[in-house]
Each structure stands twice: as structure tokens, then as C-alpha cells.
Amino acid sequence: MSFTIAIIGRPNVGKSTLFNRLVGQKLALVDDMPGVTRDRREGEAKLGDLHFTIIDTAGLDEGPKGSLTARMQEQTETAIALADALFFVIDARIGLTPADRAFADFARRADKPVLLLANKSEGKHGELGAMESYALGLGDPIQISAEHGEGMGELYDALSRIVPESEDEDDEREETDEERANRPIRVAIVGRPNAGKSTLINHLLGEERLLTSPEAGTTRDSIAVEIEHKGRSFRVFDTAGLRRRSRIEEKLEKLSVADALRAVRFAEVVVLMMDAQHRFEEQDLRIADLVEREGRALVLAVNKWDLMEAQPGQISMLRRDADHWLPQVAGVPIVAVSGLMGEGIDRLMQAIVEAYAVWNRRVPTSALNRWFEGAIANNPPPAVSGRRLKLNYITQTKARPPSFVLFCSRADAIPQSYLRYLTNSMRETFELPGTPVRITLREKANPFAHKRKRPN
């Protein structure tokens, strides 16, 4: 029997949008008006390599017995009874409401695993609303955007701990902490068409597992393969080549590109492959920027290096070029390889392992604030409109990628240039090369704001 998950929450928090994304098609009607969903709807969902049954439900609401609202509530309660686990969804942009708190108690009484999903988490307001949801007592919120597909990798990680292996597996025991730590690193190989992605993976496998051809566009689907390299497991996704949108005409290629973008979102480390003779072209930079915005660890692989004429200082030149063209991921690992000849493969795999470790890194709060005090002392924030900006303290909220909240006054007045200074200083101090670093600004509450000014 399939593992079943029910999506619950108050009306208009994005349950049907999440349902459509997980089943891969628009089965459920979606509208800004609350209460569009009335009956429960089931579908076969897929997230990465996880397969399960998903149930979309009406928004949890109260109504007189026998009313339409009450019957919708009964449908939701039936879905909860049928489910093995629950997705409790809140709207992070609005923050917690009394209804969220009441229905959180309802979810707890179901006595089933509950994953708290803070939907619509894109942007500053979503970040703050997600932090409020800790008060529900349902564990760490998973920040997602069902509409834009953000946070699906984090949802996969949480879901993989509760969804059992397929029924044809004889061993149904729970995964141990050691096994979880040794879980394969998810790696997506991306790049422009004909950069040599499939050839590289074939060399890693030691067999012609993936079709290769001099003709660009041979790969259409995102193919996942399991690879063992020096005792470490990897799940590697070969993807279709990514061209500029204006050059994509065929519907099949559009679907292939969408599949490649999904592979990036499910990956933990993304390897951007470039042709050594045509490196750092505009599309390469666009792909790298996409990976940074998705918050994935990045490794640059310059392929077909065997075709380059040997000259002194070429590797140093690659390093300078990477830092020049990609300042948003300063220090990103860059490796010269030849997928056809097998050159540089060990260095590439080691770079993937190291980038994964950096992506998961947590900085102790005490060390973080010692650095913070020194960074401010060395370069104080500028005055804006004649008033000094006050930066209070900073704390890390999560890893994958390293994300921090900076408490300050007048958050909207802090220049982006000063945030870049803090980010680069943090990278250097705590050895965070290449990985995306997120700094969210949050204003401290003014303790005197509620007091009225005395009349003159």
C-alpha cells in the first residue's frame, strides 16, 4: 500500500498549488479566492526518487453542523484519518493567525508525523513569517514556495526520513543516523549543450550508460545514476543542455530544460560544466547565477582540457577568471577536467565533497559575533540621512546554504554594498568559499514605540 500524505491548513495558504507541483500537473483548481477546494483530491506524487499518494484537502474552517463548511471539514478529517503523515501549511507572508494556532493543536491530536511547511517564503516578509511559525511547536519549519518551486530540496530531505522504502525492499528497518550521514550526495551536472556532461558521467561509471554524440541536445531527460568514488556515494543527475530562452523553440526542448531546472532544485551540489575553449560565456554566467539563487553549492568544471595547448599559469588564470565573472560566489572551486580522457576526475569529486561540507557548515554564535564586532569596528556602516545605522548582533538560522539573520535598526537603509562587505568578510573568516551565503535583515522592536509622545 502506498504511503499517503494529507495537505492540511487554513484556506488560501497554497495547499492546492503544492498538490499540483507534487503530482506534476494542474489537477487542482487554484485561485486567490479562499475556499476553491471543497472535496479532497488524491494524486500520485513524486519528489526526487520518493513516490507517495498525496491528498489535497479543503481549508480547515469551522461551521454549523450540516453546513457546507462543516461537510468540507468532515472531508478533511477523513483525509487525515487515511493519511500516514501530514503536511501542515501556513502562509509565511501573512504570519501566524489564531486559526493556524488552533489547527496546529488539531494536527497534533492526529498523532501522526507532521511536517510544518511555511509556504510563500520568498522574500524578506516570508523569512520573518517562517521564523514566527516556531511558536506552533511542530518542529522546524520548512521554507518553500509552492508556486516557484523553491525549497523542494529541503522538503525532500525531511520527507525522506518518514517515507518508507518501496515495498519490494525486504529490509524495512528505520534508517540509522550513521546511514543518514552516509546518504549519497545529490549532484546535478549542468551546462550548455555539448559541454560533455554525459561523457564525464560515463567515465565515472566505467560504462556507456548515457547516450553521447557530437550533436548538441542528445540528452533530453534528467537521468539519475548511482556512483561510488573512493568510498563515498553520489547520486548524479545528467541533464539536458541549457540554452538561452530565445533560442528554444521546440516544445520537447522546453520540457527538457524544465526537467534540468528541477534537477538543480533537488540537487545539493551543482557542477557547472564549461567548454575549455569557450568558457565563461553569457549562458554559463546565467546558469551559475541561477544555481546561486537556488541556494545550491557550486563547482565549476572546465571540460575538454586535453584540447588546450599547455601553457604555464593556466590554472591560476582560471581562478582569476572565476572570481572576476562570478563575484557572488567568490572562491568557487574550479577544476580542469577531461571527461573523455578521465583527467582531473579525482580532483573534481574531491571538490564536490568539500563544497558539500561548506554548504552544510554551521558557525558557532560566539565566534560569529566576535567576527561581527571586528568587522563593524574595521569598517563601520555608513550614516544615512545624517543618522548612524545600528547593527546589534547576528546569528545563523540554518545551513544548506549558510543563512544568517542580522538584527539592526532601519533595515531598509543598509546599503547592498555593506552587505556584500559583510558577506565577503564572512567567507574569508569562516572559510565559506563559493557557497551561497544568505543574510536577512531584521529590525529589533522599539521598546518605546507604544508610548505616546507628550503633548507640547
Side-chain angles (χ1 to χ4, degrees):
M1 184 176 179
S2 175
F3 191 83
T4 303
I5 300 174
I7 308 176
I8 65 172
R10 61 182 177 80
N12 212 32
V13 294
K15 300 185 297 297
S16 294
T17 305
L18 176 62
F19 174 87
N20 284 341
R21 179 164 292 280
L22 292 174
V23 299
Q25 50 186 315
K26 293 183 179 180
L27 295 180
L29 292 177
V30 176
D31 194 86
D32 290 336
M33 180 180 67
V36 173
T37 302
R38 291 180 172 177
D39 295 298
R40 68 180 191 270
R41 180 186 291 272
E42 295 187 13
E44 293 306 312
K46 179 181 178 182
L47 188 60
D49 57 357
L50 301 176
H51 295 78
F52 50 94
T53 299
I54 193 78
I55 306 177
D56 186 24
T57 67
L60 290 166
D61 210 345
E62 295 179 346
K65 186 175 181 179
S67 67
L68 176 61
T69 301
R71 283 183 278 130
M72 290 163 58
Q73 176 81 348
E74 290 172 1
Q75 288 286 323
T76 300
E77 291 173 357
T78 301
I80 292 173
L82 293 172
D84 299 300
L86 307 176
F87 284 168
F88 187 87
V89 184
I90 68 164
D91 186 334
R93 287 188 303 199
I94 294 177
L96 290 188
T97 68
D100 288 322
R101 298 178 189 276
F103 295 131
D105 294 333
F106 184 83
R108 275 193 291 269
R109 288 197 299 272
D111 195 27
K112 295 181 178 183
V114 180
L115 296 183
L116 174 60
L117 308 186
N119 192 28
K120 309 179 187 179
S121 285
E122 63 272 23
K124 179 174 68 174
H125 297 295
E127 178 79 17
L128 299 180
M131 294 179 65
E132 287 183 13
S133 64
Y134 279 100
L136 293 176
L138 293 175
D140 294 340
I142 303 168
Q143 299 180 43
I144 67 169
S145 171
E147 183 176 1
H148 299 105
E150 297 177 6
M152 293 297 109
E154 287 74 16
L155 179 57
Y156 172 91
D157 289 338
L159 194 55
S160 62
R161 301 187 185 104
I162 62 173
V163 175
E165 296 178 354
S166 57
E167 293 182 353
D168 57 354
E169 293 287 338
D170 293 330
D171 187 5
E172 297 183 357
R173 61 183 174 80
E174 292 185 3
E175 184 182 44
T176 66
D177 291 340
E178 182 179 357
E179 289 170 334
R180 194 173 297 128
N182 293 328
R183 187 185 298 150
I185 300 174
R186 300 194 301 276
V187 182
I189 311 291
V190 302
R192 290 183 287 116
N194 214 27
K197 302 181 289 295
S198 300
T199 303
L200 173 70
I201 297 176
N202 281 340
H203 195 280
L204 286 169
L205 288 170
E207 60 176 309
E208 291 293 317
R209 167 65 176 80
L210 305 173
L211 290 176
T212 60
S213 169
E215 179 185 353
T218 302
T219 301
R220 288 176 171 173
D221 296 315
S222 293
I223 307 297
V225 295
E226 302 288 341
I227 292 175
E228 290 280 338
H229 187 81
K230 294 191 174 180
R232 192 70 187 257
S233 299
F234 302 85
R235 185 171 178 80
V236 181
F237 293 82
D238 184 27
T239 64
L242 299 174
R243 297 198 295 163
R244 284 189 299 180
R245 186 177 300 176
S246 60
R247 293 186 177 180
I248 299 174
E249 297 178 357
E250 296 183 5
K251 181 180 179 182
L252 182 57
E253 186 176 359
K254 291 181 181 179
L255 295 174
S256 298
V257 168
D259 206 25
L261 297 179
R262 280 194 295 271
V264 169
R265 295 185 179 108
F266 286 120
E268 296 166 319
V269 181
V270 176
V271 176
L272 170 55
M273 292 200 69
M274 297 180 285
D275 190 315
Q277 298 173 310
H278 306 283
R279 56 186 184 265
F280 294 108
E281 294 196 351
E282 180 183 1
Q283 187 65 2
D284 295 325
L285 304 183
R286 289 177 181 270
I287 296 171
D289 190 57
L290 167 70
V291 174
E292 192 277 335
R293 284 187 279 111
E294 290 292 337
R296 303 298 171 230
L298 177 64
V299 175
L300 303 180
V302 182
N303 195 26
K304 307 180 184 179
W305 195 251
D306 54 308
L307 302 180
M308 297 293 291
E309 184 180 349
Q311 294 179 358
Q314 283 183 311
I315 301 299
S316 298
M317 185 181 299
L318 284 180
R319 175 76 272 155
R320 290 194 299 270
D321 288 347
D323 290 339
H324 170 74
W325 291 108
L326 299 171
Q328 70 272 37
V329 284
V332 60
I334 184 166
V335 183
V337 301
S338 170
L340 183 63
M341 307 301 294
E343 298 174 1
I345 300 299
D346 288 344
R347 292 193 300 272
L348 176 61
M349 301 308 290
Q350 183 60 31
I352 291 172
V353 172
E354 292 173 357
Y356 177 75
V358 171
W359 189 63
N360 281 277
R361 185 164 297 162
R362 284 192 172 272
V363 180
T365 302
S366 57
L368 187 62
N369 281 282
R370 281 197 300 272
W371 158 80
F372 185 56
E373 292 172 2
I376 294 176
N378 293 334
N379 183 11
V384 177
S385 301
R387 296 170 56 194
R388 302 292 294 181
L389 297 173
K390 186 175 181 181
L391 308 185
N392 301 98
Y393 64 94
I394 190 170
T395 186
Q396 184 172 3
T397 54
K398 70 182 188 72
R400 305 165 64 90
S403 302
F404 306 85
V405 173
L406 171 56
F407 292 85
C408 60
S409 65
R410 303 167 62 202
D412 56 343
I414 296 180
Q416 288 298 315
S417 58
Y418 195 76
L419 288 180
R420 285 195 297 271
Y421 156 71
L422 292 177
T423 299
N424 292 333
S425 176
M426 187 185 298
R427 286 188 193 280
E428 183 177 351
T429 303
F430 299 111
E431 298 182 350
L432 300 171
T435 196
V437 173
R438 304 283 191 254
I439 298 180
T440 301
L441 301 177
R442 186 176 184 185
E443 294 186 10
K444 290 195 68 176
N446 184 352
F448 304 104
H450 66 284
K451 294 185 178 181
R452 293 183 177 179
K453 294 184 178 180
R454 292 182 179 179
N456 295 331

